[in-house]
Amino acid sequence: MKNLEDSGYSQNDYHHFIKEVKKKTGIDLALYKEAQMKRRLMSFYEKRGFTSFQDFFQNGLNKDEDILAEFLERMTINVSEFYRNPKRWDVLSEQIIPRLKQNSNHLKIWSAACSTGEEPYTLSMILMEKFGENRHTILATDIDEVILKRARSGLYSDRALKELSSEVINRYFIREDPGYRVRDKVKNTVTYRKHNLLADTYDTGFDLIICRNVLIYFTEEAKQEIYLKFNRALKVGGILFVGSTEQIFNPARYGFEAEDTFFYKKVNNL
Ligand SMILES: C[S@@+](CC[C@H](N)C(=O)[O-])C[C@H]1O[C@@H](n2cnc3c(N)ncnc32)[C@H](O)[C@@H]1O
């Protein structure tokens, strides 16, 4: 039986764990909301039979690549679906994209924290469906490499496609029991890359950044830093599209103005 008191972990078990994880993976858990992250990770390690964050790090993450991969998957929820919150996508395709296309006939788009790929593929299908072309570049990134592999494979269950009409499914997917695979004409428009929003540098010159349902996990300070980085990554007039619980409280502070609910237009360089 380990003596947790002697190790100095009992009081600061989680904070010590944060330091070790940062050293090992470069991921700074201190930038994620603490209570939420602690709960998620504790329920994960308890199921795996670990008794503390120290035990979890030393005998789990530090020793076993599979546990490390699963840890990344469990840090946040990965759930996504095609055309998630349809009304928002309608605003995007009917209002936002036509305006963006007035200034640029080759849109440069970033789907940040894309999880298993439903979001960038939805976007690609909208561009093909409504604008009949694929003159666009979509970069799709996530911190989790295992998830990116699934995104690249483009294989989905029926449930992920529940918002799509059968016409769209027929045009852009191939039935592969027990689910569907995205056709190559969609897949080929998306480039996947590993990227940590809290640590890596951001590309620039984007017309549109879609970043939904990940900022909710971050601390206020981390979020503010990310808004500034998104400002610098966008062209003036470019749009940041956020998740349905992620309105920006004071967009002007980050050089944005609301163009519609959940859509922020970059109005000036910072
Ligand atoms: C709930 S999913 C969002 C998926 C998609 N954007 C949507 O709204 O349907 C959250 C994703 O954020 C990713 N993530 C968590 N921390 C991240 C970070 N620091 N940088 C980039 N991605 C991160 C997770 O791996 C996960 O795939």
Side-chain angles (χ1 to χ4, degrees):
M1 186 65 188
K2 285 177 206 85
N3 188 336
L4 296 177
E5 290 297 328
D6 286 351
S7 69
Y9 257 75
S10 57
Q11 213 41 5
N12 293 311
D13 191 29
Y14 184 63
H15 292 126
H16 198 104
F17 175 79
I18 286 182
K19 281 193 200 134
E20 302 276 31
V21 169
K22 191 169 178 197
K23 253 191 272 162
K24 185 167 178 73
T25 66
I27 296 170
D28 189 355
L29 293 174
L31 299 174
Y32 289 76
K33 285 181 192 151
E34 181 169 326
Q36 198 183 27
M37 180 60 76
K38 247 170 132 170
R39 243 192 341 262
R40 294 188 69 77
L41 293 181
M42 279 175 83
S43 106
F44 171 51
Y45 79 57
E46 279 166 5
K47 270 188 211 128
R48 290 300 206 112
F50 299 107
T51 56
S52 66
F53 279 107
Q54 176 192 28
D55 186 24
F56 179 38
F57 183 79
Q58 287 177 348
N59 302 310
L61 300 185
N62 214 17
K63 287 207 176 127
D64 185 334
E65 286 293 315
D66 290 343
I67 293 183
L68 187 62
E70 210 183 327
F71 153 77
L72 267 178
E73 211 175 321
R74 296 297 174 84
M75 272 171 44
T76 59
I77 292 172
N78 293 311
V79 177
S80 193
E81 77 194 47
F82 286 91
Y83 218 53
R84 188 178 192 178
N85 313 115
K87 286 203 181 95
R88 301 290 109 218
W89 289 98
D90 291 346
V91 172
L92 182 76
S93 62
E94 280 154 30
Q95 237 171 279
I96 307 283
I97 292 178
R99 184 187 59 73
L100 292 174
K101 285 175 84 65
Q102 283 170 6
N103 302 329
S104 162
N105 56 20
H106 187 112
L107 296 182
K108 183 175 171 186
I109 301 168
W110 179 17
S111 168
C114 67
S115 188
T116 31
E118 290 86 336
E119 203 169 72
Y121 290 142
T122 297
L123 188 63
S124 178
M125 289 188 290
I126 286 176
L127 286 163
M128 287 189 204
E129 192 71 9
K130 301 240 169 170
F131 303 95
E133 45 86 351
N134 53 13
R135 267 181 290 127
H136 54 265
T137 318
I138 303 175
L139 169 68
T141 63
D142 200 282
I143 197 172
D144 182 350
E145 238 157 349
V146 177
I147 258 182
L148 289 176
K149 236 185 244 165
R150 279 163 53 193
R152 283 189 195 100
S153 81
L155 197 56
Y156 298 96
S157 67
D158 295 5
R159 217 190 51 162
L161 275 65
K162 70 181 171 49
E163 296 289 350
L164 300 181
S165 67
S166 48
E167 292 80 41
V168 167
I169 294 178
N170 288 337
R171 263 199 292 281
Y172 299 106
F173 293 84
I174 300 166
R175 180 86 188 152
E176 249 181 57
D177 264 342
Y180 291 88
R181 191 184 293 277
V182 173
R183 289 183 190 270
D184 284 349
K185 64 178 174 186
V186 180
K187 226 192 263 180
N188 293 341
T189 65
V190 180
T191 305
Y192 288 98
R193 194 198 301 162
K194 185 181 168 191
H195 181 273
N196 179 353
L197 281 164
L198 296 164
D200 296 334
T201 53
Y202 292 18
D203 285 3
T204 54
F206 290 105
D207 297 285
L208 172 65
I209 297 176
I210 304 186
C211 184
R212 305 173 78 207
N213 305 307
V214 67
L215 298 179
I216 33 163
Y217 292 99
F218 300 152
T219 63
E220 243 352 272
E221 296 70 36
K223 261 195 287 198
Q224 290 172 8
E225 189 61 31
I226 289 177
Y227 294 144
L228 292 174
K229 288 187 180 160
F230 280 154
N231 172 295
R232 292 178 201 126
L234 282 165
K235 292 178 186 162
V236 173
I239 287 285
L240 170 63
F241 176 18
V242 299
S244 293
T245 55
E246 298 174 319
Q247 279 117 314
I248 303 179
F249 175 57
N250 183 1
R253 195 169 152 194
Y254 313 101
F256 288 109
E257 72 180 27
E259 174 147 335
D260 204 300
T261 334
F262 313 113
F263 294 94
Y264 297 92
K265 177 162 86 176
K266 171 172 170 176
V267 283
N268 49 275
N269 287 311
L270 290 182

